């Protein structure tokens, strides 16, 4: 029928273009099979809506519900994936802190298994789940907000021309906020994972850390955390958006609009994995600093550089982190976009923005 044939026209060619308003069409018109939605070339007061593939309801672009959906998708994508790779993270942190004992990935797992048993592989999973869930909520939710905000400031033509700059600025702004939520739980996680006997988990580790270091001690690693996470997130979002756009342009033999949802989610995972490898490389020195500072009471950045050396800062634990972050980032984008599809939103990226001649008028 007419509605199904024109449904694709309701999905904007560039999801984040500032030219689209967040208003919906009346429900009785959307449910009428004879109703023909207005095209993008109609009058400036045209309204746009993204329909759900299963049509249970509709989410308005840039509405509170839209940002809430992106925020919840971020919670799922970051919290679950980081918790799932807790064993890898545990070995990686111990390799950074005690390389003489944890000489390699395989020997690291062997040492942990011998000393702590299978349960030891998931030590610190609670602060990992809660900390990265909070970070994911802020990271993805605020990224969508700042990307729209900076696009509006730049104007439609500049937003299209300098889209990568907007991706970088939006992701950096979001990560500054996200790390404020992550930092206290990351500090407890590292201490629990790298100091056997310090605590069993978050419930006893958090108050013990407070008594030992004070409230400010929870944020001792904030600046190195920013140094790790801001470049990581800028690379994560900007490279992902670029890689996915290039994949649809040069690898996939048909336009994104003609691809099935499983194929689109496969592209999201592949693009996320490649982006994750790049993320691991650019953020690894700061990751070593974060692990060192959160493990040693009163330690400074100078102490870390002196003990690890510049070469050690860039390379210690890097192969494992490439595997971990590549898989992690690919899975995060896959989960995030799967959730967006579930609630009726298109997957992220894949279509180059189109310059818009005129802004839609406000009521």
């Amino acid at each position: 029928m007419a509605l199904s044939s024109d449904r694709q026209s309701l999905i904007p060619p560039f999801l984040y273009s500032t030219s689209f308003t967040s208003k919906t069409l009346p429900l009785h018109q959307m449910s009428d099979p004879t109703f023909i939605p207005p095209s993008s070339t109609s009058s400036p007061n045209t309204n746009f809506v993204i329909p759900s593939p299963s049509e249970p309801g509709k989410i308005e672009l840039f509405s509170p519900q839209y940002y809430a959906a992106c925020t919840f998708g971020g919670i799922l994508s970051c919290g679950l994936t980081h918790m799932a790779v807790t064993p890898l993270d545990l070995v990686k942190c111990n390799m950074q802190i005690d390389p003489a004992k944890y000489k390699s990935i395989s020997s690291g797992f062997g040492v942990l298994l011998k000393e702590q048993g299978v349960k030891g592989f998931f030590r610190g999973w609670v602060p990992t789940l809660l900390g990265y869930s909070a970070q994911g909520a802020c990271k993805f939710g605020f990224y969508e907000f700042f990307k729209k905000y900076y696009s509006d400031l730049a104007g439609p033509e500049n937003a299209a021309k300098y889209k990568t700059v907007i991706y970088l600025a939006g992701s950096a702004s979001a990560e500054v906020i996200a790390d404020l939520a992550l930092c206290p739980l990351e500090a407890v996680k590292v201490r629990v994972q790298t100091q056997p006997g310090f605590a069993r988990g978050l419930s006893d580790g958090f108050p013990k850390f407070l008594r030992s270091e004070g409230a400010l001690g929870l944020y001792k690693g904030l600046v190195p955390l920013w140094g790790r996470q801001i470049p990581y997130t800028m690379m994560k979002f900007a490279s992902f958006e670029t890689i996915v756009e290039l994949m649809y342009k040069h690898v996939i033999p048909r336009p994104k609009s003609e691809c099935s949802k499983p194929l689109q989610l496969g592209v999201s995972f592949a693009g996320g994995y490649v982006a994750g490898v790049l993320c691991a490389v650019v953020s690894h020195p700061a990751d070593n600093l974060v692990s060192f500072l959160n493990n040693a009471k009163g330690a400074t950045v100078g102490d870390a550089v002196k003990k690890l050396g510049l070469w050690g800062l860039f390379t210690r634990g890097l192969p494992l982190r490439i595997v971990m972050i590549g898989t992690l980032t690919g899975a995060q984008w896959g989960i995030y976009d799967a959730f967006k599809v579930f609630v009726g939103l298109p997957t992220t990226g894949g279509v180059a923005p189109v310059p818009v001649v005129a802004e839609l008028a406000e009521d």
Side-chain angles (χ1 to χ4, degrees), residues 14 16-19 150-164 166 352-359:
F14 177 47
Y16 310 106
S17 171
T18 58
S19 64
Y150 293 144
S151 294
D152 287 344
L153 288 180
E157 292 188 6
N158 285 331
K161 185 177 181 181
Y162 301 107
K163 61 183 184 296
T164 301
I166 290 175
V354 179
V356 180
V357 176
E359 295 283 353

Side-chain angles (χ1 to χ4, degrees), residues 88-321:
L88 283 172
D89 187 43
L90 192 60
V91 173
K92 184 262 304 178
C93 287
N94 280 285
M95 286 177 65
Q96 292 170 329
I97 297 302
D98 192 356
K101 184 177 182 180
Y102 298 87
K103 295 182 169 68
S104 65
I105 297 173
S106 58
S107 67
F109 276 108
V111 170
L112 283 175
L113 182 62
K114 181 179 179 181
E115 293 187 351
Q116 302 176 34
V118 176
K119 295 172 67 174
F121 288 130
F122 286 92
R123 192 152 44 93
W125 73 268
V126 175
T128 297
L129 174 63
L130 297 180
Y132 283 94
S133 292
Q135 187 213 36
C138 297
K139 185 197 299 271
F140 282 90
F142 280 108
Y143 173 67
E144 301 288 355
F145 170 80
F146 282 118
K147 184 160 59 170
K148 174 67 165 62
Y149 178 72
Y150 293 144
S151 294
D152 287 344
L153 288 180
E157 292 188 6
N158 285 331
K161 185 177 181 181
Y162 301 107
K163 61 183 184 296
T164 301
V165 175
I166 290 175
Y167 299 153
L168 292 169
S171 57
S173 300
E175 190 60 40
V176 168
I177 299 171
D179 288 343
L180 293 174
L182 170 63
C183 193
L185 291 161
E186 177 76 357
V188 176
K189 175 190 80 76
V190 172
R191 188 67 61 89
V192 168
Q193 290 180 334
T194 59
Q195 290 190 9
F198 174 77
R200 291 173 312 216
L202 181 64
S203 59
D204 58 336
F206 192 85
K208 188 173 182 179
F209 193 104
L210 272 179
R211 290 193 299 270
S212 173
E213 303 270 354
L216 290 179
L218 292 169
Y219 286 93
K220 179 177 67 173
L222 179 60
V223 173
L225 187 63
W226 275 334
R228 179 188 81 185
Q229 290 298 132
I230 291 176
Y232 166 89
T233 302
M234 292 171 72
M235 181 67 74
K236 174 179 179 176
F237 283 91
S239 64
F240 172 81
E241 301 249 21
T242 302
I243 291 166
V244 168
E245 183 179 324
L246 291 174
M247 287 181 70
Y248 281 113
K249 186 176 181 181
H250 299 292
V251 179
I252 307 300
R254 54 186 180 275
K256 179 182 177 181
S257 60
E258 298 177 10
C259 295
S260 65
K261 294 300 179 184
L263 177 57
Q264 291 184 31
L265 294 176
V267 171
S268 294
F269 176 81
Y273 196 98
V274 176
V277 172
L278 299 175
C279 290
V281 173
V282 301
S283 63
H284 192 65
D287 183 65
N288 274 319
L289 287 177
V290 170
S291 295
F292 186 91
L293 293 177
N294 284 328
N295 176 69
K297 182 177 179 179
T300 65
V301 173
D303 295 332
V305 174
K306 183 177 179 180
K307 182 173 182 179
L308 300 177
L310 287 177
W311 179 251
L313 278 177
F314 280 89
T315 61
R316 183 172 294 176
L318 180 59
L320 177 57
R321 192 157 184 266

